[in-house]
Every structure is written in C-alpha cells, then in structure tokens.
C-alpha cells in the first residue's frame, strides 16, 4: 500500500492545490471562464486532495500501511435448483463498488467503508434482491435468487438524496439495463428509450433525437451523464444529445418534475445515463462490440477495457459509427440522412475505506447531414451545388457516409471529478465538471468551409451533497448544485446572442420508512442570473443587451405504500419551475428548417409546474401490472403566437427572398394529463412465456385557446406496444439466456394538434411489426464466450411518419403529392458482443 507519512500526504496535497490554482488561471485566460467559478472549482479540488491524501479520512495508518475496513462476502444460488449462479451482478451504487460472482457463485469485497449500504444482486432471468446491509468488520451474507416475471424493483440514484429502491420512491422511474439495450435496435441512445412508458422522441433523422417525457421536451427535460448535467444546445429542434449508445451501461428515466434535486430545466423529468461502472477488485475486463444495420448500412464498433487493482480502478472505451442514407418504401433512399460519429472516454479513480475519487472524461464527435427533402420535377432528391443551382443525388451520394451540404459538426468534450467521502456514518458527495460544446453548421456550397452558425458553449457544473447518518429511520440529505455557462457565436449568422449564465440552488431532502409506508420530500430554492449581449446582424444590432435574474422555490412530498407483499401504491405532489431559455428571451431571426421568423420576449416569467402523480403496482407469480396517472398544471407555459401587422394582417419579413411569418414567444396557462400502464402475463405452466403490453397516453391543452386551437404542440400520439417473448435460461450445454420475441408497435392517430399558424398537421396511425432473437454462448466452465442479438424492425416495410418527426414538414414530392419525408423502412440489426475477463494477482 502507501508508504508515505501523513505529513508527506499534506505536502503533496498543498503542492497539487497550487498547481490546480495555476491551471485555473490558465483556464480562465484560455476559455474566458469567470475566475470566481474556477476559484470555487479549485477550492473543492483542494478539499478532494486533502481528504484523499489526509490520513484522517483515508483510514488509520499503522506501520505506514492502511488498515482495511469492512469486508463483505457470500454466495448467490438459484432458489429452485440450489445451484450456484455464475456471473450474477453484486453492486453498491452509493460507493460505486461492484462485481460478479465466480463459477462457484461466490463474491467478495474488501476495504469497504463500514456502515449501512444498499446492495443490489441481479442476473438475467431472476428477480433482483435489494436490501440495506450493515457492514461491520468481516460480514457474510448469502443470497438466493428466484425466477423473474418482470423486473419490478431496482436501485436508483435519480431524483433522490441517496441510493434507494425504486418501489420506495413516490414518483415513476424506469430502468433500462445494458442487456435490454443489446436486445433492441435503434439509431441513437434516445431512440432506444422510446419504448419505455411515457417516453417519446422528437427526431430530425436517424442521428438527431430529443427526449420527450409526458409531452414535454427541450429545456424541460434534463439529461445527466455520470453525475454531470449534460449541456449542449438542447433548445433547438435539430440539436440532439451528445452521448453514444454503445458506451451506455444503464439508463434511469424519472417521469415528472424533478426540480427538487436538480433545479430549473427538470420540470418534465430526468434522463440519467450511466456509462462508467467499476469492476470488481483485482480484475481486468475487456469487451468488444459490433453492430451492423441493413437499412442504412450503419456500422458500429465499440471496445472498452476496465480494471481494478488494489482499489485503483479505470475504464477506457471508444466507439465509431458510420451510416449511409436510410431508405423507406415511399422516398427510396433519403438524401443526406447519413452521419458518422466517434467517441472516446472513460475514467480513472481510487476506491478505499474512506470512499472514492474518480476523474471522468469523454470526447464526442458527430458529423450529420441535415435533411431538407428537396426534389426535382421527377420526384428525385436533389443537392445544392456551387453557383446556386441543384443536381440530382446519385447512388454514390446515397451510399457515402460523409455528410454533404447542409450538415452539422458537433464536438462535445467533458471532464469531471466525482468524489464520495465517509465521515463516520455520514457521507459527502462532490462532483465538478467542465464541458465544451461546439456546434457548427455548414450550408454554403460556394464556400464549403464557411460556418453559417457556430455556437461555442462552455459550462462548469458543480454538485455537493451531504447525506446524514440514518437516525430513527430518517434518511436526510442537504445539497447544492448549479452551473456557470458562457455561449459565444463564431459563425456568419447569429440566432441567439452571446451570453453568460450563473445558476445556483440548495435543497433539503428526507425519507422515512414507517412499517410499510415510505414518506419522502423536501424543499429547494434557486437563483439564476443572465448577462445577455447585443444580438448582431453583421455590424448592425438587431437585439438589445440586457441582464435578467430568476429565483424560485420548488419542492415535493409523496409516499410509497406497500399495501400487501404484492401490491404497492405511490402518491406524489411536486412543484417545479423552469427559467426561460435564451432563445425564448432573446431570439431574433429565422430558424433552420422552419417557416417562421421568431422574436423572443425579455419579459417572460419562469414556468411554474404543479403535478399530482399516482400509481399502483401489482406483482404476483404469474402477472405483473402497473398503472400511473398524472395531472400537470402550468401557470406560465411558454409557446409562440403569430404577430399582427399594423395593417391588421399577418406580420411578415422577407429573408433572402423568402417571405416568413413573424412569431413571438408568449405565455399561457396549460394542463397536461395522461396515463401509463404495463401488464405482463407469465402463465403457468408456460413459465418461459411473457406477454407484455405497454400503453402511454398524454393530453396537452391550453386553458385559453390560441387562434381557436386548444391543444399544445409536440404531444406524442397514444401508443400500445404488445410483446410476446420466450425466455430460456439454458437450452443446450453451451447456450444460455436464449430469447425470442415478436412485437407489435401500435401508434394511434394524432388529431389533437396545435393547428394554429400551420404549426402542426394531423398524423395517421400505423402498426410496426418487430422481432428479435439472441443468446449467450459459454464454454465448458460456464464462462461466456460471446453473445449474439439479431433484431428486425418494421418487418412489413410500412411507410409511416411519426407525429414528432420534423422531417414530416420538409418539402413536398410534386410527383406523388406526399408532403415531407417518411421514417425508416425495414431494418435488420446484427449485434456481436465478446466479453473478456482476467484475474490479477494482488500480492
């Protein structure tokens, strides 16, 4: 172990702190970030270093060696066969320690912080065991897993003060594991989430998708990645999430206001994407993954290697995706729907008896075409060429993976320090992150390197949470989080002005279980300050500079009641808020892909959301059922309205020879309500069979109609997904976890639309037939060699348009009379995963 003295530890900490402060000055000069934020950052770094190296928190030192703290070990077996389960996951989410059982079903963890920890034992085909375990010295506990109907409980970290069981939270949370991602087919991570109840996507082609939760999206849905709030240009229709699907290990989806823990921009919910998960001690694991999709010839390659030796743990991953143009029955190959994406990331850190300290990083790079849907008089797609004309797209163009004009180039760099320290039975969590998002748009065929738009966004996020030791059944946390953000325009045009933003908020959250009732809730206060610069049009000022502040309270209170061993009831009331975004406050221009000229309104107020949420869950041996209903009232919902000209007609502007109708952001009272239901039938004696139905419905209405329209825009259509699935844990000696499934994806017609100002059109319903098959292949010792997953989407090659597809409003095909571009046709996906694992001699 370490052989340095205590004094040497502090000397190193002080030296590193000086270096950190010097780096802060460099970052302030290099990235023009406010020094007060960098000072806060380095102050926290100094605390990290002092705690990490100081013997007071790193454990007692005896003979210049650390004394190991808690040890926890045991065996996991099958309840029916009594046979040991190999490869079962054993994970402590609060201290980020985990591993899998060996060939004898055994697990063992050393040097754990003593005290109570929430442990989750899970394996494919079994019901997870979740419980609080009190680790004192050397602790043993054996576990027995029973066959699962469906997964009805999981450990979650989203929207709560500390790790807890999902069935003990009063709000609705869905969990998507890596195994489930492997068994489905999608073109990006957000599309992969859309089959969960209450979740939809607003898309602009296969590489750009935005999450919609219960009818709300954009800056109303917050995305978290490995503890860091993801900040790009999420306000725009054509701006996606800068996270690649192949690197994702787990996703938690919270449906409903989450402003209590996260502040503004979480009024609809939270998408928490977890990439880096530590492996067990004295182990090195590697993984090779590939995926090929037939429709657009998408090729994905992903590899990662992770290790944990004497508490020093790391993960390194890399992904590369290249896709040509996709096709469907009506459009053929859709020109410029191609994209290529590269991502590299990982972390390095140290886990010990005092907690853990991890340094995370990622670098995302995407080039994606922007689909305009223009066709010639014969109905063939055309592309812009130098000189102002167009040319018909060729087979070479369709099969290329290099986007053509117009296209976007998105780069997103992120680095974060994630830390957790033990103070007796109390725990302090600290996370500080820096993100640099660059979004460039190229659209001039006469000058290919000209950036029509170039948003350069730098963000520092910070989160601190102190979890008090459990006392009389109360689990209480206090916390603060926020961000410092700066956006700079570097392109030819400006759609939004340059601005800086400072956001901070604090909260208290508590939870108590009384017999079979778990109560939880808390309060929060936030403040946000904006400094917005002049909006420029060349040398002319088209928008005045201003400063603005927003402050508000939020909170929630709820209960989860275990009525019987099989029946669970959830009730929750929450108040959330969202400060207006910069485009809503200060935009002044035409947006790509729209037929509108939009004006912001500097006088907009914060959106206030009050939501009531209720759910009931029934889980028995042969049936699982859950239903959740919500009612969400907005006092200041932000949307746009048409401007009137002085003459009394519509206000229009001539932009580049095109006449655009003028709109301005406005606020109205609005109500969203809906229901989400899931039923899974697991009939006896066909224990291998699952029949699952998932239904989602949301209604969005204005309390006061706009131009006789009473419905909100961008509300997803009702959807029913029916899946017939067969699971077989073992069919041959070398084949495990075999499954086969057939799915009917029924999306109903959407006629409740915001038809004012020709904003939306009705969308007919459609049914897609999907299927999948897969298995894991093992050697004679039961160790997995590889897994193969084959899936087919839209097997009947149905031509359809999703109601939330922006391509639905692209140019008309004059030959067929069809408006817009249709979604992807028949597509087969082939996935191969090869896991590798090595034990390391710790002596």
């Amino acid at each position: 172990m370490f052989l340095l003295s205590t004094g040497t530890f502090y000397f190193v900490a002080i030296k590193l702190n000086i270096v950190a402060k010097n780096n802060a000055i460099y970052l302030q000069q290099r990235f023009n970030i406010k020094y007060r934020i960098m000072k806060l950052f380095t102050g926290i770094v100094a605390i990290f270093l002092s705690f990490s190296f100081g013997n007071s928190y790193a454990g007692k030192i005896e003979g210049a060696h650390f004394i190991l703290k808690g040890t926890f070990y045991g065996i996991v077996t099958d309840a029916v066969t009594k046979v040991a389960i190999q490869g079962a996951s054993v994970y402590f989410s609060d201290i980020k320690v985990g591993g899998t059982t060996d060939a004898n079903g055994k697990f063992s963890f050393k040097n754990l912080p003593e005290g109570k920890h929430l442990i989750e034992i899970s394996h494919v085909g079994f019901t997870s065991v979740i419980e609080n375990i009190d680790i004192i010295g050397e602790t043993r506990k054996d576990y027995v897993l029973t066959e699962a109907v469906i997964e009805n409980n999981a450990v979650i970290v989203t929207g709560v003060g500390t790790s807890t069981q999902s069935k003990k939270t009063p709000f609705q949370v869905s969990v998507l594991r890596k195994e489930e991602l492997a068994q489905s087919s999608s073109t990006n991570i957000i599309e992969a989430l859309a089959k969960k109840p209450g979740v939809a996507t607003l898309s602009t082609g296969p590489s750009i998708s935005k999450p919609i939760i219960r009818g709300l999206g954009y800056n109303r849905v917050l995305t978290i990645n490995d503890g860091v709030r993801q900040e790009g240009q999420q306000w725009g229709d054509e701006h996606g999430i800068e996270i690649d699907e192949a690197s994702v290990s787990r996703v938690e989806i919270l449906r409903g206001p989450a402003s209590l823990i996260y502040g503004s921009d979480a009024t609809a919910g939270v998408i928490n994407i977890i990439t880096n998960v530590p492996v067990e001690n004295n182990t090195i694991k590697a993984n090779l993954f590939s995926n090929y999709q037939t429709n657009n010839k998408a090729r994905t390659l992903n590899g990662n290697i992770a290790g944990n030796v004497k508490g020093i743990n790391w993960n390194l991953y890399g992904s590369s995706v290249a896709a040509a143009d996709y096709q469907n029955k009506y459009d053929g190959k859709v020109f410029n729907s191609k994209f290529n994406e590269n991502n590299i990331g990982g972390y390095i850190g140290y886990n010990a008896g005092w907690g853990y300290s991890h340094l995370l990083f990622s670098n995302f790079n995407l080039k994606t075409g922007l689909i305009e849907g223009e066709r010639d008089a014969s109905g063939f797609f055309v592309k812009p060429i130098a000189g102002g004309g167009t040319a018909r797209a060729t087979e070479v163009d369709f099969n290329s993976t290099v986007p053509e004009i117009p296209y976007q180039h998105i780069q997103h760099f992120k680095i974060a320090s994630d830390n957790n320290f033990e103070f007796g039975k109390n725990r302090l969590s600290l996370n500080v992150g820096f993100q640099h998002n660059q979004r460039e748009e190229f659209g001039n065929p006469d000058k290919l390197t000209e950036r029509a738009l170039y948003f350069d966004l730098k963000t520092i996020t910070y989160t601190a949470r102190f979890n008090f030791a459990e006392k009389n059944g109360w689990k209480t946390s206090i916390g603060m989080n926020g961000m410092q953000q700066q956006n700079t325009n570097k392109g030819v045009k400006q759609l939004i002005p340059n601005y800086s933003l400072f956001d901070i908020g604090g909260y208290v959250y508590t939870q108590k279980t009384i017999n079979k009732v778990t109560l939880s809730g808390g309060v929060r206060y936030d403040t946000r300050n904006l400094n917005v610069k002049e909006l420029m049009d060349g040398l002319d000022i088209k928008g005045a500079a201003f400063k603005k502040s927003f402050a508000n309270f939020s909170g929630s209170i709820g209960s989860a009641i275990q009525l019987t061993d099989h029946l669970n009831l959830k009730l929750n009331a929450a108040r959330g808020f969202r400060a207006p975004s910069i485009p809503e406050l200060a935009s002044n221009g035409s947006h790509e892909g729209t037929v509108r000229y939009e004006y912001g309104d500097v006088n907009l107020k914060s959106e206030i959301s009050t939501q009531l949420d209720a759910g009931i869950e029934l889980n028995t041996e042969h049936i699982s059922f859950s239903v959740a209903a919500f009612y969400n009232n907005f006092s200041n919902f932000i949307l746009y309205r048409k401007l009137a000209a002085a003459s009394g007609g519509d206000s229009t502007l001539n932009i580049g020879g095109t006449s655009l109708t003028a709109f301005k952001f406005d606020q109205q009272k609005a109500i969203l309500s809906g229901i989400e239901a899931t039923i899974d039938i697991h009939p006896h004696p066909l224990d291998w069979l699952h029949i699952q139905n998932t239904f989602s419905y949301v209604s969005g209405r204005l309390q006061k109609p706009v131009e006789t329209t009473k419905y909100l825009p961008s509300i997803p259509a009702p959807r029913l997904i029916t899946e017939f699935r067969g699971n077989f844990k073992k069919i041959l000696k070398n084949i495990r976890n075999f499954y086969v499934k057939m799915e009917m994806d029924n999306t109903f017609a959407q006629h409740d639309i915001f038809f004012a100002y020709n904003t939306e059109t009705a969308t007919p319903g459609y049914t897609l037939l999907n299927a999948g098959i897969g298995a894991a292949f093992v050697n004679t010792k039961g160790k997995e060699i590889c897994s193969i997953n084959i899936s087919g989407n839209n097997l009947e090659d149905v031509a359809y348009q999703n109601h939330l597809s922006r391509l639905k409003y692209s140019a008309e095909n004059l030959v067929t009379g069809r408006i817009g571009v249709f979604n992807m046709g028949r597509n087969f996906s082939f996935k191969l995963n090869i896991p590798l694992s090595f034990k390391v001699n710790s002596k």
Side-chain angles (χ1 to χ4, degrees):
M1 303 296 287
F2 295 98
L3 300 176
L4 298 177
S5 66
T6 305
T8 305
F9 275 122
Y10 282 109
F11 177 77
V12 172
I14 292 170
K15 286 294 186 182
L16 288 175
N17 188 26
I18 294 172
V19 172
K21 288 184 177 179
N22 290 335
N23 287 338
I25 297 172
Y26 167 76
L27 286 172
Q28 189 268 337
Q29 295 171 344
R30 173 66 177 85
F31 296 114
N32 196 27
I33 298 169
K34 287 188 176 181
Y35 182 74
R36 60 175 175 168
I37 303 303
M38 294 311 302
K39 189 175 181 180
L40 171 65
F41 174 81
T42 53
I44 295 175
V45 168
I47 296 173
F48 293 166
L49 295 169
S50 298
F51 287 163
S52 299
F53 294 109
N55 71 323
S56 297
Y57 304 103
K60 298 178 181 179
I61 297 179
E62 184 176 291
H65 288 75
F66 283 91
I67 295 177
L68 299 181
K69 299 191 78 174
T71 298
F72 183 63
Y73 63 99
I75 300 175
V76 179
T77 56
D78 188 319
V80 177
T81 65
K82 311 301 180 183
V83 174
I85 300 176
Q86 181 179 0
S89 172
V90 183
Y91 191 64
F92 300 91
S93 59
D94 57 345
I95 55 176
K96 293 190 176 179
V97 172
T100 56
T101 55
D102 62 18
N104 299 313
K106 295 181 178 180
F107 64 87
S108 178
F109 300 99
K110 298 180 179 180
N111 204 16
L112 299 177
E114 291 188 337
K116 283 190 176 181
H117 301 287
L118 190 64
I119 187 173
E120 181 178 27
I121 298 92
S122 60
H123 193 272
V124 176
F126 292 91
T127 299
S128 297
V129 172
I130 301 170
E131 67 173 15
N132 284 293
I133 186 75
D134 197 0
I135 299 175
I136 302 175
E138 188 174 289
T139 305
R140 173 171 179 163
K141 182 71 182 290
D142 296 334
Y143 293 94
V144 176
L145 300 186
T146 58
E147 187 175 350
V149 179
I150 61 171
E151 185 62 69
N152 54 60
N153 193 24
V155 173
I156 63 167
V157 296
T158 308
V160 292
T162 186
S163 302
T164 191
Q165 299 182 56
S166 59
K167 71 178 183 180
K168 290 188 175 182
T169 61
F171 41 78
Q172 305 300 318
V173 180
S174 298
V175 176
L176 189 69
R177 303 179 190 274
K178 195 174 186 70
E179 295 82 5
E180 193 173 348
L181 286 170
Q183 295 176 10
S184 63
S185 176
S186 59
T187 57
N188 60 68
I189 182 59
I190 300 303
E191 288 290 340
L193 309 181
K195 292 183 180 180
K196 290 296 182 181
V199 182
T201 61
L202 187 149
S203 64
T204 311
S207 65
I208 302 175
S209 296
K210 305 178 70 64
I212 303 292
I213 298 179
R214 292 180 168 178
L216 299 172
Y218 301 92
N219 287 62
R220 300 180 180 100
V221 175
L222 188 64
T223 301
I224 305 290
N225 183 213
D226 287 330
V228 179
R229 172 186 178 132
Q230 188 81 2
E231 283 294 317
Q233 305 286 345
Q234 58 263 35
W235 50 268
D237 282 345
E238 65 278 16
H239 303 159
I241 303 298
E242 301 85 3
I243 301 170
D244 79 286
E245 180 184 351
S247 67
V248 174
S249 295
R250 175 187 172 97
V251 183
E252 296 178 3
I253 306 167
L254 187 157
R255 308 191 299 276
S259 298
L260 171 60
I261 300 296
Y262 302 104
S264 178
D265 302 350
T267 51
V270 177
I271 306 289
N272 184 10
I273 300 174
I274 299 167
T275 301
N276 295 291
V277 177
V279 300
E280 58 263 41
N281 200 22
N282 301 321
T283 302
I284 294 178
K285 289 188 175 182
N287 200 82
L288 299 174
F289 169 81
S290 65
N291 179 25
Y292 179 76
Q293 299 188 35
T294 58
N295 187 285
N296 59 350
K297 301 178 182 178
R299 292 88 75 182
T300 301
L301 291 174
N302 171 269
N304 85 283
I305 182 168
N308 189 340
V309 180
K310 296 183 179 180
I312 300 174
N313 51 92
W314 72 89
N315 182 38
L316 179 66
Y317 62 85
S319 296
S320 178
V321 184
D325 291 335
Y326 79 85
Q327 58 187 320
N328 61 62
K329 184 167 64 176
Y330 283 170
D331 299 309
K333 293 183 177 179
V334 178
F335 175 67
N336 217 24
S337 58
K338 56 182 63 69
F339 65 94
N340 58 75
E341 172 186 301
N342 295 285
N343 186 32
I344 187 171
Y347 85 98
I348 186 169
Y350 184 69
N351 286 53
W354 48 264
Y356 66 82
S357 183
H358 296 163
L359 182 68
L360 308 96
F361 75 97
S362 66
N363 192 34
F364 177 91
N365 193 312
L366 170 67
K367 289 185 179 180
T368 180
L370 293 174
I371 304 167
E372 296 188 322
E374 298 289 343
R375 299 172 173 90
D376 60 20
S378 300
F380 293 95
F381 284 107
V382 295
K383 61 180 182 179
I385 59 175
T390 61
R392 184 175 293 180
T394 67
E395 276 300 309
V396 174
D397 294 322
F398 291 130
N399 292 324
S400 170
T401 62
V402 179
E404 301 187 40
I405 295 291
Y407 72 91
Q408 287 188 86
H409 183 200
I410 300 102
Q411 300 174 81
H412 192 98
F413 171 77
K414 177 168 54 185
I415 186 168
S417 179
D418 186 29
N419 307 268
N420 190 294
F421 305 106
E422 299 289 327
F423 292 86
K425 294 185 178 181
N426 305 308
R427 185 178 300 118
L428 173 67
S429 299
L430 296 168
N431 187 300
V432 179
F434 171 73
Q435 299 172 72
H436 187 193
N437 181 279
Q438 300 174 84
R439 188 176 298 272
E440 305 165 275
E441 185 173 307
F442 299 84
N444 187 350
D446 294 308
K447 193 175 182 181
L448 299 179
T449 59
E450 179 184 88
R451 300 175 178 92
L453 297 174
Y454 184 179
F455 304 109
D456 189 282
L457 180 69
K458 302 181 181 73
T459 307
I460 289 178
T461 58
Y462 53 92
T463 300
R465 184 179 68 244
F466 192 86
N467 296 319
F468 292 95
E470 183 176 339
K471 187 174 183 180
N472 297 326
W474 289 97
K475 297 180 180 179
T476 302
S477 304
I478 59 172
M480 60 169 284
N481 47 31
M483 62 180 174
Q484 161 73 43
Q485 189 171 83
Q486 180 173 294
N487 190 79
T488 305
N489 286 290
K490 296 183 177 180
V492 175
K493 302 177 182 179
Q494 289 191 14
L495 293 182
I496 59 173
N498 299 339
Y499 71 88
S500 60
L501 175 154
F502 180 72
D503 180 285
I504 190 169
Y507 66 90
V508 57
Y509 176 90
T510 190
Q511 175 181 308
K512 181 178 176 62
T513 299
I514 306 172
N515 296 324
K516 294 186 177 182
V517 178
T518 301
L519 304 173
S520 62
V523 293
R524 179 188 178 100
Y525 182 76
D526 281 271
T527 180
R528 173 174 289 185
N529 297 303
L530 292 170
N531 185 359
V532 181
K533 306 300 182 182
E534 294 171 333
L535 182 63
M536 306 300 295
D537 183 7
L539 298 177
D540 299 325
I541 299 174
K542 63 175 181 177
F546 64 89
K547 294 183 179 180
K548 197 80 175 177
S549 295
F550 298 92
N552 227 305
F553 286 95
S554 54
S556 71
I557 184 170
S559 64
I561 307 168
Q562 191 174 350
L563 299 175
T564 69
D565 291 341
H566 302 291
L567 192 63
N568 204 44
L569 175 66
K570 294 186 175 188
L571 301 168
N572 192 57
R575 182 185 191 271
F577 85 98
R578 180 181 73 90
S581 66
I582 294 297
E584 293 165 342
L585 291 168
S587 61
N588 186 342
S590 57
H591 286 212
E592 178 69 28
T594 71
V595 291
R596 299 187 299 270
Y597 191 99
E598 294 180 356
Y599 292 98
D601 185 350
V602 71
N603 296 313
L604 292 176
K605 301 176 182 178
S606 294
E607 287 185 338
I608 304 298
S609 161
T610 304
Q611 179 164 307
L612 302 176
D613 200 304
I616 190 166
E617 300 170 348
L618 173 67
N619 294 286
T620 66
E621 185 179 359
H622 300 298
I623 189 171
S624 290
F625 172 79
S626 68
V627 61
F630 67 93
Y631 177 88
N632 198 352
N633 187 303
F634 280 85
S635 59
N636 297 306
F637 191 86
I638 299 175
L639 72 164
Y640 36 72
R641 62 176 174 83
K642 187 183 290 187
L643 286 178
S647 60
D650 294 337
S651 176
T652 60
L653 294 90
N654 188 286
I655 306 297
T658 302
S659 181
L660 299 178
T661 303
F663 288 77
K664 187 173 184 177
F665 284 99
D666 195 7
Q667 292 188 301
Q668 300 283 342
K669 292 182 178 180
I671 294 174
L672 289 99
S673 59
I675 189 171
E676 300 139 9
T678 299
I679 182 170
D680 187 288
I681 302 172
H682 183 61
H684 184 75
L686 303 178
D687 296 328
W688 50 269
L689 177 64
H690 293 263
I691 305 171
Q692 180 174 299
N693 291 274
T694 301
F695 177 73
S696 300
Y697 169 77
V698 60
S699 171
R701 294 172 177 263
L702 294 163
Q703 292 192 27
K704 179 181 179 181
V706 174
E707 292 285 314
T708 72
T709 301
K710 60 182 179 179
Y711 298 107
L712 290 175
S714 300
I715 299 298
R719 190 180 189 187
L720 171 65
I721 301 175
T722 301
E723 180 183 274
F724 296 86
R725 181 187 182 94
N727 284 335
F728 305 88
K729 288 185 288 185
K730 183 179 179 180
I731 60 173
L732 293 173
K733 183 177 181 180
N734 299 108
I735 300 179
R736 305 281 177 86
N737 302 324
F738 175 83
Y739 71 91
V740 60
K741 65 178 182 178
M742 184 66 70
E743 178 185 272
M744 289 182 291
D745 186 344
N746 303 280
T747 299
F748 297 87
Q750 179 59 288
H751 296 293
D752 297 340
I753 60 172
F754 187 74
F755 58 79
Y757 323 132
N758 298 317
T759 301
E760 284 189 314
T761 58
T763 307
Y766 54 88
T767 298
L768 305 181
L769 184 64
N770 309 318
I773 187 171
F777 298 84
V778 300
N779 60 20
T780 55
K781 296 182 179 180
K783 186 175 182 180
E784 184 176 327
I785 301 172
C786 70
S787 63
I788 296 176
N789 296 278
I790 302 172
S791 59
N793 286 354
N794 193 4
L795 296 179
E796 297 179 302
D797 201 24
V798 175
Y800 71 98
Q801 290 177 323
N802 186 283
H803 183 66
L804 298 186
S805 171
R806 290 185 67 245
L807 303 184
K808 180 172 175 265
Y809 302 99
S810 57
E812 178 185 358
N813 185 335
L814 298 177
V815 175
T816 64
R818 299 187 184 102
I819 296 175
V821 172
F822 285 72
N823 287 72
M824 185 178 288
R826 183 185 296 116
N827 185 34
F828 291 97
S829 170
F830 301 88
K831 295 181 179 180
L832 172 65
N833 192 75
I834 303 175
L836 302 170
S837 181
F838 311 94
K839 281 293 182 180
V840 178
N841 190 344
S842 61
K843 295 181 180 180

